[in-house]
């Protein structure tokens, strides 16, 4: 794989003008979080489909559009975002209550994995997990220390599956929209449908599906192969009545870069894989723009 001389962070700092995002409506009955203009939940019907990898690279791709972005790793079963972003140590908490998010590759990040010992197994019952996660969401100083600090987008990597924890989280967290990550096999077994139903049940709008590992790119010759046939993602999205936001390649660089803490989008922003994430991120933002805006109340910062 070609090496790119300039890091993503340097590129981002030097050339991308900030474009503050419009805040969009959340589920009826919930109040938007003051520090978050748009919270986007990333879910999947089952584990191992590449949800965290997709969430992190999409967060970077959205940041590259000029937005202030954070990622919250809510995957209590296997918090992998610290590794994917190369984060270690504990986040600061000056007053013992609020938590300063960590930063990597130009985005903010917080993970349940940063708050516990690295080797300790997370065997939490539903209520414990959901209250820990809602606390983490609310007590993190997203967007900086100032009173009016805000992120344009917070990408929340939900635990895989559609059990109680996922349902409660989808119900309690004020979400502007959800994205469902599937693989071609996942599509075949209809696990993605369960995730769709779950979000529907709690009135969270699904912005679309992302088909991960859709085509294989040979690391030697770059040959592209549709291992699982073509058009599956498109068909299933049409069947469910939601857009297919993008199809991502099964690419060794995506895995390798995730393992070493510099996601492919940061490592090789001009690669074909990064381009696929960029196109998917743009489609996601375009879908979000179609959603109703958050209501503006006097004194609120949701302009
Ligand atoms: N498009 C891709 N190409 C190559 N490898 C990928 C791709 N997407 C994900 N992977 C790899 O697949 C493995 C699982 O990915 P990831 O941890 O993102 O899945 P997940 O759905 O979040 O898993 P879980 O939530 O069950 O822990 C990782 O090793 C990751 O690097």
């Amino acid at each position: 794989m070609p090496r790119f001389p300039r890091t993503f962070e340097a590129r981002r700092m030097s050339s991308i003008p900030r474009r503050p995002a419009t805040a969009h409506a959340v589920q009826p009955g919930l109040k938007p979080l003051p520090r978050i203009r748009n919270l986007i939940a990333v879910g999947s019907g089952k584990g191992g489909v590449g949800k965290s990898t997709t969430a992190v690279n999409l967060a970077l791709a959205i940041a590259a559009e000029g937005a202030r972005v954070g990622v919250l790793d809510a995957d209590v079963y296997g918090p992998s975002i610290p590794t994917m972003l190369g984060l270690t140590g504990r986040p600061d908490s000056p007053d013992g209550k609020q938590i300063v998010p960590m930063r990597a590759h130009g985005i903010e990040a917080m993970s349940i994995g940063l708050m516990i010992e690295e080797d300790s197994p997370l065997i939490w019952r539903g209520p414990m997990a959901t209250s820990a996660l809602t606390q983490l969401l609310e007590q993190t100083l997203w967007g900086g220390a100032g009173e009016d600090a805000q992120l344009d987008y917070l990408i929340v990597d939900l635990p895989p599956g559609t059990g109680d924890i996922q349902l409660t989280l989808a119900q309690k967290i004020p979400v502007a929209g959800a994205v469902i990550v599937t693989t071609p096999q996942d599509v075949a077994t209809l696990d993605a449908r369960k995730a769709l139903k779950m979000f529907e049940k709690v009135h969270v709008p699904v912005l679309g599906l992302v088909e991960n590992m859709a085509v294989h790119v040979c690391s030697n010759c770059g040959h592209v192969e549709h291992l699982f046939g073509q058009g599956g993602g498109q068909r299933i999205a049409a069947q469910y009545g939601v857009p297919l936001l993008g199809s991502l390649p099964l690419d060794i660089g995506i895995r390798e870069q995730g393992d070493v803490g510099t996601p492919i989008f940061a490592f090789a922003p001009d690669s074909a894989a990064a381009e696929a994430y960029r196109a998917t991120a743009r489609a996601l933002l375009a879908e979000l723009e179609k959603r109703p805006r958050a209501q503006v109340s006097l004194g609120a910062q949701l302009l």
Side-chain angles (χ1 to χ4, degrees):
M1 177 180 298
R3 303 262 154 187
F4 290 86
R6 276 192 304 165
T7 65
F8 168 69
E9 178 86 359
R11 233 169 104 100
R12 173 170 152 67
M13 292 309 168
S14 63
S15 59
I16 301 168
R18 167 141 157 73
R19 297 216 336 245
T22 308
H24 290 85
V26 300
Q27 307 94 304
L30 291 188
K31 269 212 226 136
L33 293 165
R35 288 176 169 271
I36 314 288
R37 285 183 175 233
N38 296 288
L39 191 152
I40 297 167
V42 180
S44 64
K46 64 167 192 259
V49 299
K51 176 178 48 59
S52 305
T53 307
T54 306
V56 162
N57 280 289
L58 284 181
L60 292 169
I62 295 172
E65 298 294 299
R68 209 175 269 167
V69 180
V71 56
L72 172 68
D73 180 1
D75 189 344
V76 281
Y77 302 128
S80 50
I81 283 181
T83 307
M84 285 180 189
L85 288 175
L87 294 171
T88 50
R90 296 247 169 165
D92 268 354
S93 176
D95 62 359
K97 274 193 207 145
Q98 293 182 305
I99 311 161
V100 180
M102 295 185 118
R103 282 193 75 84
H105 310 295
I107 59 171
E108 296 183 2
M110 183 52 67
S111 168
I112 201 90
L114 293 167
M115 309 302 285
I116 48 146
E117 297 302 325
E118 214 169 283
D119 298 329
S120 66
L122 266 174
I123 311 170
W124 287 353
R125 289 190 307 117
M128 271 169 79
T130 41
S131 81
L133 288 169
T134 39
Q135 255 183 44
L136 205 56
L137 180 62
E138 285 165 12
Q139 291 177 7
T140 298
L141 292 166
W142 299 111
E147 286 283 295
D148 58 350
Q150 276 193 330
L151 285 181
D152 293 309
Y153 303 97
L154 180 70
I155 311 298
V156 179
D157 181 20
L158 291 177
T162 51
D164 279 352
I165 296 182
Q166 295 81 345
L167 188 67
T168 313
L169 279 175
Q171 216 161 13
K172 284 194 166 176
I173 294 180
V175 182
V179 172
I180 296 169
V181 181
T182 77
T183 61
Q185 295 102 312
D186 192 26
V187 162
T189 57
L190 298 182
D191 276 315
R193 189 201 294 266
K194 286 192 206 151
L196 268 158
K197 293 270 170 224
M198 178 186 83
F199 287 121
E200 240 173 48
K201 198 167 165 180
V202 291
H203 310 290
V204 169
V206 174
L207 301 173
L209 294 183
V210 175
E211 189 184 24
N212 191 30
M213 310 186 196
V215 291
H216 176 246
V217 184
C218 173
S219 51
N220 283 325
C221 65
H223 176 68
V224 172
E225 212 169 4
H226 294 264
L227 288 183
F228 307 102
Q230 247 171 308
Q234 192 66 61
R235 260 197 313 279
I236 210 83
Q239 190 186 333
Y240 295 164
V242 295
L244 178 67
L245 300 174
S247 291
L248 303 170
L250 173 66
D251 180 334
I252 192 166
I254 295 180
R255 190 205 41 85
E256 283 177 345
Q257 290 311 123
D259 285 352
V260 298
T262 308
I264 195 85
F265 194 91
F267 177 73
D270 300 323
S271 61
E275 201 44 60
Y277 285 114
R278 187 176 290 111
T280 306
R282 287 180 178 164
L284 185 165
L285 295 180
E287 281 306 316
L288 186 60
E289 278 315 305
K290 295 181 192 165
R291 302 281 318 150
R293 293 181 170 206
Q295 279 186 352
V296 183
S297 60
L298 276 181
Q301 293 144 7
L302 300 173
L303 299 168

